[in-house]
Amino acid sequence: MHVHKYEKLWLALSLVLILAFIATVTYGAVGAGVSMVADDEEPVNPDTLGDHPQFGEPGVEQVGENEYEAYVIAEQFEFTPDPIVVPEHSTVTFYVTSPDVIHGFGVVGTNANTMVIPGEVAKITVETDEPREFGIVCNEYCGAAHHAMEGKLVVVP
Ligand code: CUA
């Protein structure tokens, strides 16, 4: 009887597949040379941002002595709020999302840059120094006026 032999083969094959699946889930991006270390922000519904406790009224709020959170919406073809005003010598965490298409959020002249995906919240933290102004640009092609999608980050005394 050959049936028994094939059954064993199938069993072995499915075990291999299960292990391969687990490995893929566990080590997903390693083979590509990158690995995501954190993506712990809750998803948001891009269609109802207006009802969101923070994104409904995007802006900067103080959360500690020198700590601030800035909720920002990137959409065709602007950033809200604009300008984003934050105090000097503070830690600012930006939470950025989009109601329409993929955008970028980059602070010109710094390494602060992230992709902004509808339904997801991009999070980056920066330390501010002396008062000055920075441009904010969109680094992802998002439509006809992509090149004109600019904002301002103002660090104030
Ligand atoms: Cu938004 Cu390019």
Side-chain angles (χ1 to χ4, degrees), residues 65-68 86-92 126-132 155-157:
E65 197 183 342
N66 288 306
E67 279 179 58
Y68 297 82
V86 295
E88 63 179 344
H89 303 296
S90 60
T91 303
V92 182
V126 304
E127 306 269 332
T128 66
D129 198 344
E130 305 292 320
R132 62 167 283 193
V155 179
V156 296

Side-chain angles (χ1 to χ4, degrees), residues 48-149:
T48 58
L49 287 185
D51 300 328
H52 189 275
Q54 278 85 32
F55 291 114
E57 259 179 273
V60 180
E61 44 187 84
Q62 185 165 12
V63 293
E65 197 183 342
N66 288 306
E67 279 179 58
Y68 297 82
E69 289 181 346
Y71 288 85
V72 179
I73 291 182
E75 63 192 306
Q76 289 168 323
F77 294 96
E78 59 186 8
F79 296 97
T80 308
D82 185 22
I84 302 167
V85 180
V86 295
E88 63 179 344
H89 303 296
S90 60
T91 303
V92 182
T93 301
F94 294 95
Y95 296 90
V96 193
T97 194
S98 161
D100 44 35
V101 300
I102 293 178
H103 295 279
F105 177 88
V107 183
V108 177
T110 76
N111 63 356
N113 184 39
T114 183
M115 191 186 270
V116 182
I117 300 169
E120 296 184 15
V121 178
K123 177 184 177 185
I124 46 173
T125 302
V126 304
E127 306 269 332
T128 66
D129 198 344
E130 305 292 320
R132 62 167 283 193
E133 277 188 24
F134 296 89
I136 291 176
V137 290
C138 174
N139 287 319
E140 299 292 329
Y141 182 77
C142 55
H146 156 71
H147 63 279
M149 183 167 168

